[in-house]
Amino acid sequence: MKTIKAAAAVILAAVTAFFACGCSGSSEENGSTLTVMGKKSDMEKSYMSAVFEMYEKETGNKLKIIEFEDSEFEVKASEKFKQGDLPDIFMHFNNADLNRFNVSENFYYLNGESWVGDLTDSAAAYCEDGSGNLLGLPFWESSVSGCYYNKTLLDSLGLKPAATQAEFDVLCGTLAEIGYTPICWPADGCTWMFQFGLDPIFADDPQLLEKLNRNEITYAEIPEVADMISWISEAAKKGWFGQKYSETGWDDISTVMSSGGAVMTFIWDTWFYTDFAGGSYTVDDFALMPVFMGTADEGTYEGGNLNMMMANKNSENLEEALEFLEFCASPENYERAFSGISTVSCFKGQTTNIQSDMVTEAQASISAKERVSTAATRIIGYSAEDVAEAFNSLLRGGTDVSGCVKLMDEKRIEEAKEQGIEGFAE
């Protein structure tokens, strides 16, 4: 009998412990659990892993990471939202694909949070919607896109960087005349260059962007779009991209730039620390000036595209989600997470990250001429691949400037219709 009573006591204790822990049998009774949804590669960035680990260790709360393969993320995440299965924290870029997720209905505007004042102006601007509401915390690596040029080579030729479109055109013409390729233009599979020219058109005229996104106007009705296309077409004809630009791809840029095969390229600073392998020239030989592409007389820089942590305003855990964002935005925590990471600061108090000398030396120019990434992020239906396809047809002689504009419009509108955007549906 004693044995039976002892066994019963053990079972009773086990059952009691089970229900004390919750039906899952986990140890999560010590704190709340927040769900965080994002792309697999994004969730596994070193600074993300670091802040996740710090949060769990220091608060006793748990994070459940819901990640999808990058190629499947937009579709699978939108399916979850349609099913009403929303996470507490959603990570996404402020781009056209964000329209899939009904921002105003699902996400909490963060305008009044205590950490907002610590965001840099460019980081805050990137995360705002068209009405100026802050959609998310930009906890991410950033960069500055512009025209990176070989200052050592220019100095040796007695030439200077440009400050206006006219000066840039003269610089390219001079370099071509003396046997140098002015610009490394990687037309074989690279698609980002065009957005740098489009950004000023729409960043400087928000109402024009709104009209485009309401399908009240097309690219064909915006003269500056044709101006950019004409500039690129003429640059190619004049040899400013060299003779092999159509065969130059991502893996070739480093070789071209490190060997002096081209003097300039339109790219971003972090590329020099992640993909550039020095040769005859190293990173120390390069400097930064604005991009000139026929749409901004004094040139332009593009601010970084930032992943945002967005809070589900309908979540039962909204208060805890906002506390998590506050934890991430604490200087002590973001300093630890981004220590040694090559990135432009997203926070005014950020000091442990690495910033390139190229960006630091051009800071005054950047402050005056930087625009938030606009074309690729805020034009509904924008696809970098579609735009590149239209331009490649132009540069191969398959169409002319007006035909290139028409192709860009057709693809953009088609994509907007597929997304079911109001104003585009047939």
Side-chain angles (χ1 to χ4, degrees), residues 128 140 361 422:
E128 292 177 348
W140 201 244
E361 292 167 0
E422 184 178 355

Side-chain angles (χ1 to χ4, degrees), residues 145-150 168 181-186 192-193 196 248 253-254 256-257 262-268 271-272 276 286-291:
S145 296
C147 179
Y148 287 83
Y149 66 95
N150 189 324
F168 186 74
T181 296
I183 303 168
C184 175
W185 185 271
W192 65 81
M193 301 85 72
F196 302 156
T248 301
I253 307 172
S254 177
V256 171
M257 298 308 296
V263 181
M264 301 175 280
T265 194
F266 300 156
I267 207 159
W268 46 93
W271 174 82
F272 282 91
F276 177 73
F286 290 86
L288 173 60
M289 64 175 160
V291 166

Side-chain angles (χ1 to χ4, degrees), residues 4 37 46 66 111 114 116 121 166 183 219 230 249 259 277 281 286 340 345 370 376 380 391 403 408:
I4 295 175
M37 181 182 291
S46 62
I66 304 169
N111 307 338
S114 61
V116 172
D121 292 343
I183 303 168
Y219 286 145
S230 295
S259 66
Y281 299 97
F286 290 86
S345 298
E370 183 181 43
I380 290 174
F391 269 93
M408 289 169 59

Side-chain angles (χ1 to χ4, degrees), residues 11-257:
I11 293 171
L12 179 61
V15 170
T16 301
F18 176 81
F19 283 104
C21 290
C23 293
S24 66
S26 71
S27 59
E28 293 172 4
E29 76 282 6
N30 294 324
S32 60
T33 298
L34 292 175
T35 52
V36 183
M37 181 182 291
K39 291 181 182 178
K40 187 175 188 295
S41 65
D42 292 348
M43 297 292 95
E44 295 174 359
K45 295 283 189 182
S46 62
Y47 43 86
M48 298 305 303
S49 299
V51 79
F52 290 162
E53 183 178 344
M54 286 189 288
Y55 174 77
E56 290 189 324
K57 181 178 180 180
E58 296 179 23
T59 67
N61 297 333
K62 301 294 180 183
L63 296 174
K64 180 180 179 182
I65 307 301
I66 304 169
E67 56 185 32
F68 300 112
E69 292 292 342
D70 292 15
S71 61
E72 302 173 337
F73 173 71
E74 300 296 347
V75 172
K76 288 197 171 183
S78 60
E79 288 175 353
K80 287 285 188 182
F81 273 62
K82 289 175 183 177
Q83 296 164 4
D85 188 6
L86 280 65
D88 300 309
I89 300 291
F90 185 56
M91 292 198 66
H92 203 285
F93 291 86
N94 191 9
N95 57 24
D97 280 321
L98 191 58
N99 291 310
R100 299 170 182 258
F101 301 97
N102 200 343
V103 173
S104 61
E105 292 295 323
N106 289 323
F107 298 111
Y108 184 85
Y109 294 147
L110 301 165
N111 307 338
E113 296 303 295
S114 61
W115 43 263
V116 172
D118 192 30
L119 296 179
T120 63
D121 292 343
S122 59
Y126 176 86
C127 296
E128 292 177 348
D129 66 8
S131 301
N133 294 306
L134 189 68
L135 302 180
L137 170 68
F139 197 87
W140 201 244
E141 60 190 81
S142 187
S143 60
V144 174
S145 296
C147 179
Y148 287 83
Y149 66 95
N150 189 324
K151 63 182 179 181
T152 302
L153 189 49
L154 278 192
D155 287 345
S156 71
L157 297 171
L159 299 173
K160 296 181 179 180
T164 66
Q165 181 72 57
E167 289 181 4
F168 186 74
D169 290 349
V170 169
L171 176 61
C172 289
T174 301
L175 287 168
E177 285 176 9
I178 60 178
Y180 289 88
T181 296
I183 303 168
C184 175
W185 185 271
D188 184 11
C190 296
T191 62
W192 65 81
M193 301 85 72
F194 313 103
Q195 67 199 52
F196 302 156
L198 291 170
D199 277 350
I201 300 172
F202 299 102
D204 296 354
D205 191 345
Q207 291 184 344
L208 184 65
L209 176 63
E210 289 180 11
K211 290 177 68 176
L212 186 73
N213 284 340
R214 290 196 298 263
N215 202 23
E216 296 173 0
I217 196 171
T218 64
Y219 286 145
E221 299 170 88
I222 304 172
E224 293 88 347
V225 175
D227 290 343
M228 183 192 81
I229 296 172
S230 295
W231 186 88
I232 292 173
S233 177
E234 289 301 308
K237 291 176 182 176
K238 293 174 182 177
W240 293 358
F241 301 156
Q243 302 304 312
K244 296 185 177 181
Y245 69 91
S246 63
E247 303 169 19
T248 301
W250 173 260
D251 292 335
D252 303 308
I253 307 172
S254 177
T255 301
V256 171
M257 298 308 296

